[in-house]
Amino acid sequence: MTDTDKAPAPSRRALIGWGGAGLALGAAAAGGAVALTREGDDLQPTAAEAGAAVDFHGTHQAGIATPVQDRLHFAAFDVTTEDRAEFVQMLKDWTAAARRMTAGKAVGEGAYGGLAEAPPDDTGEALGLKPSRLTLTVGFGPSLFEKFDLAGERPEALVDLPQFAGDNLDKNRSGGDLCVQACADDPQVAVHAIRNLARIGFGKVVIKWSQLGFGKTSSTTPDAQTPRNLMGFKDGTRNIAGTETDRLEKFVWADGKDKDWMAGGSYLVARRIRMHIETWDRTSLQEQEDVFGRDKGEGAPVGKAKERDKPFLPAMKPDAHVRLAHPDSNGGATILRRGYSFTDGTDGLGRLDAGLFFLAYMKDVREGFIRIQRHLATDALNEYIQHVGSAVFAVPPGVRDKDDWWGRTLFSKEA
């Protein structure tokens, strides 16, 4: 047990009663809370209602192959300290806080009960809330490797993304030295996590940009109902599932051949994609279905009856999105999608600022996202969307035990 685990502060678990929900394959009840294993497990209804906790420790970070939660708070940070030891200590502090928050506990000594003259360790807005399957996933951006004498540790697969056709990127919504992806079934739990990590990082890092997301647009559990994007179409029908260990090894998990410290990690591409909602909503149903290459009701590919029927690509129009994005059109390139819808008010002209916050994990950015996105240059969907934010990150392997911490394989000489 770590020092932080010994803190007597009231936790969210202590403040509420837990139902006796049971989970298959490695689930454990600890202190009355439900723990989930990461891979190959989907939530049973009773577990979801109990606000289950996802295991923080593992070979891979949670929040990648984990069953996708309903809400997102994504934050990209820039490093402000030049002291390597100070930054490493922050990563250790972040890990300790994340270990507690994902388990449903307050950070440090908690939100109250400590010294009245000092700020509390926890901001308090998640007191009384369940863990809500919170996962926290950390990644390192290309610009981080320009600091702390890390230039020689930058993986070749962590490339700067090229300019793609139609990009209109906002530098204030792009890049970042590192990122944290917080996913949960309760938006306040996700926001609380990012808020507390930002507070712990004060003086060492600063948030460069962030994004709230709702309504997952892809699923890693194929038996669940396929979610729909804001255009009304099912998204992620043939996404990699958390149970498909062979596909995960082939397309998602880094093997360490590039850089040893990345073994068990992955690469993340984040893209903020604005949808021209008003234009789309005035487009005929036939054209909408032609653009995607699927019917809007069932989600079946052109000429097929069911959503998961294997697509016959020649039956689709040459510029149909599904046809151009399909692995068969891209030399087998496959990525694990984990995106969310977003709405950020209006743009001042009465148009919704809404769309898809695209998140995708892959073994190699060059053979995954870049290959696919270049092939989408002629995508009919481009008339209705625009990429306005972009970032890429190397996501290190998971935190294996109570003595491990985010980034240890990169920053620890002993590793």
Side-chain angles (χ1 to χ4, degrees):
M1 179 174 280
T2 64
D3 290 338
T4 54
D5 288 330
K6 296 176 183 176
S11 70
R12 283 178 280 173
R13 287 185 188 172
L15 295 173
I16 55 179
W18 295 100
L23 293 172
L25 295 177
V34 180
L36 285 180
T37 53
R38 310 247 193 89
E39 297 175 47
D41 295 338
D42 196 3
L43 281 174
Q44 296 178 2
T46 52
E49 292 168 4
V54 176
D55 187 9
F56 180 71
H57 298 126
T59 303
H60 314 292
Q61 288 196 59
I64 302 175
T66 308
V68 184
Q69 303 92 320
D70 291 332
R71 301 285 183 154
L72 167 79
H73 190 187
F74 187 95
F77 295 79
D78 276 342
V79 175
T80 56
T81 181
E82 296 180 358
D83 187 327
R84 177 181 172 124
E86 186 177 49
F87 181 70
V88 167
Q89 184 58 52
M90 186 206 75
L91 291 176
K92 293 179 179 179
D93 293 342
W94 270 14
T95 305
R99 186 180 283 117
R100 292 184 64 83
M101 290 189 290
T102 55
K105 299 178 181 179
V107 176
E109 297 291 334
Y112 61 90
L115 290 174
E117 297 77 16
D121 287 344
D122 189 283
T123 52
E125 75 274 21
L127 287 172
L129 300 180
K130 302 169 186 179
S132 300
R133 294 196 294 147
L134 172 67
T135 57
L136 294 167
T137 313
V138 163
F140 302 138
S143 55
L144 182 67
F145 295 89
E146 300 171 5
K147 309 174 189 292
F148 307 129
D149 297 320
L150 292 174
E153 296 299 329
R154 177 174 173 174
E156 292 183 5
L158 184 65
V159 297
D160 294 309
L161 296 179
Q163 181 81 12
F164 296 107
D167 279 3
N168 185 24
L169 303 181
D170 180 353
K171 65 179 181 180
N172 294 319
R173 292 185 180 271
S174 300
D177 291 335
L178 68 160
C179 73
V180 181
Q181 171 194 282
C183 298
D185 289 326
D186 186 326
Q188 187 145 319
V189 170
V191 170
H192 168 264
I194 294 295
R195 178 181 176 185
N196 278 270
L197 295 180
R199 178 185 54 78
I200 292 168
F202 182 77
K204 280 85 69 178
V205 295
V206 62
I207 291 182
K208 181 178 184 181
W209 58 271
S210 65
Q211 181 67 57
L212 292 172
F214 68 91
K216 60 186 179 184
T217 60
S218 295
S219 173
T220 55
T221 49
D223 292 337
Q225 178 175 313
T226 305
R228 293 179 184 269
N229 56 37
L230 290 183
M231 289 179 163
F233 279 77
K234 292 184 177 182
D235 207 340
T237 295
R238 303 181 69 84
N239 199 28
I240 299 175
T243 52
E244 295 180 299
T245 54
D246 290 346
R247 293 182 79 199
L248 288 168
E249 289 294 334
K250 183 176 181 179
F251 297 114
V252 179
W253 305 131
D255 52 23
K257 292 180 181 178
D258 190 347
K259 292 293 180 183
D260 291 344
W261 68 267
M262 272 295 292
S266 189
Y267 295 92
L268 167 64
V269 172
R271 304 277 283 187
R272 188 177 191 272
I273 304 174
R274 172 89 180 266
M275 292 179 177
H276 304 312
I277 296 293
E278 292 76 15
T279 304
W280 178 258
D281 290 346
R282 295 192 295 269
T283 301
S284 70
L285 175 61
Q286 184 61 61
E287 183 173 344
Q288 290 184 1
E289 293 183 337
D290 287 344
V291 164
F292 275 98
R294 290 184 178 273
D295 74 64
K296 198 168 187 176
E298 167 62 25
V302 172
K304 302 292 183 176
K306 298 296 182 182
E307 175 195 346
R308 291 184 170 86
D309 288 347
K310 185 176 180 180
F312 180 61
L313 301 183
M316 302 177 187
K317 292 197 170 185
D319 57 357
H321 178 73
V322 169
R323 179 171 182 170
L324 292 174
H326 196 275
D328 289 353
S329 300
N330 293 280
T334 303
I335 56 181
L336 187 156
R337 286 170 289 161
R338 201 182 168 87
Y340 288 82
S341 296
F342 71 85
T343 56
D344 289 335
T346 57
D347 61 3
L349 298 174
R351 299 173 302 192
L352 282 176
D353 182 4
L356 167 67
F357 190 67
F358 174 91
L359 294 167
Y361 289 88
M362 64 213 72
K363 192 168 194 170
D364 190 316
V365 176
R366 299 164 296 184
E367 299 302 316
F369 179 77
I370 291 178
R371 177 180 289 187
I372 296 170
Q373 189 62 23
R374 279 178 169 160
H375 200 226
L376 292 175
T378 58
D379 188 354
L381 189 59
N382 291 338
E383 181 180 347
Y384 304 97
I385 64 172
Q386 189 167 52
H387 291 237
V388 295
S390 179
V392 59
F393 301 95
V395 177
V399 177
R400 294 176 181 253
D401 54 43
K402 65 181 180 62
D403 298 316
D404 202 0
W405 43 278
W406 276 326
R408 176 189 58 84
T409 57
L410 172 61
F411 285 95
S412 175
K413 294 180 181 179
E414 294 78 11

